[in-house]
Amino acid sequence: QAEQHLNRFLAANPSHAYATKLLATVELRNGKREEAMKLVQAALKEAPDDVDLLAMAGDAEMRAHNFAQSAAYFERASAMKPERSDLRLGHDLSRLHMGDSSKAIEELERAAEDGQGSGRATMLLVLGHLRNKQFDKAMAVVDEMIGKGDSAMLQNLRASVLLARSDVDGARAAYMK
């Protein structure tokens, strides 16, 4: 329903930036990446330095597994708004997917230490360590997080690290907590 209203509104007001962003967000959430990207690309022609549009483009490209293009969008956006942790985390996640994990992990470690991203940086850091088969480092990060406050999610993450280490009994115990 919202999608129909936004399409009608944009048909009458094609350069309305907020409505374009809103419709692109709806399209992305509905799994219509191509439609969202068409809207974002057209809007970027009008406002090439719009950080939110660049972030949407980065997200859309990441969903299509175009990680180099995604990283480029997020890098451009984060250069304009370095205080926005979501943009840096999007860039780091793109780099992890591209296989540039050493630089991404370095940035994620810094973000986790600074407390940026509300735990997202720390979770991505664990995934980066797992991707590099650095199980001890991943477990150290998980243990540090658990030390700050245990939760079912953290125990599931612990179990994932233990499974990656082939410690089935340890993983079972973590799942049971």
Side-chain angles (χ1 to χ4, degrees), residues 65-86:
H65 302 274
N66 299 329
F67 302 118
Q69 189 64 31
S70 174
Y73 281 119
F74 279 117
E75 183 174 25
R76 218 171 115 204
S78 63
M80 287 185 252
K81 291 275 188 176
E83 69 277 4
R84 284 197 37 195
S85 62
D86 62 316

Side-chain angles (χ1 to χ4, degrees), residues 117-175:
S118 304
R120 188 170 175 220
T122 308
M123 299 294 282
L124 291 173
L125 179 58
V126 171
L127 294 175
H129 286 316
L130 287 176
R131 176 171 270 199
N132 288 344
K133 299 188 184 320
Q134 297 173 325
F135 306 124
D136 292 338
K137 287 183 178 183
M139 186 59 76
V141 173
V142 171
D143 287 341
E144 183 180 333
M145 290 170 65
I146 289 173
K148 293 177 183 176
D150 200 1
S151 69
M153 181 199 62
L154 291 175
Q155 286 301 323
N156 282 337
L157 188 58
R158 179 182 190 76
S160 296
V161 174
L162 290 166
L163 278 175
R165 282 182 166 171
S166 298
D167 181 354
V168 176
D169 292 335
R172 184 177 297 117
Y175 279 129

Side-chain angles (χ1 to χ4, degrees), residues 107-121:
E107 292 297 321
L108 289 167
E109 284 173 342
R110 189 179 357 244
E113 286 173 17
D114 294 344
Q116 300 169 354
S118 304
R120 188 170 175 220

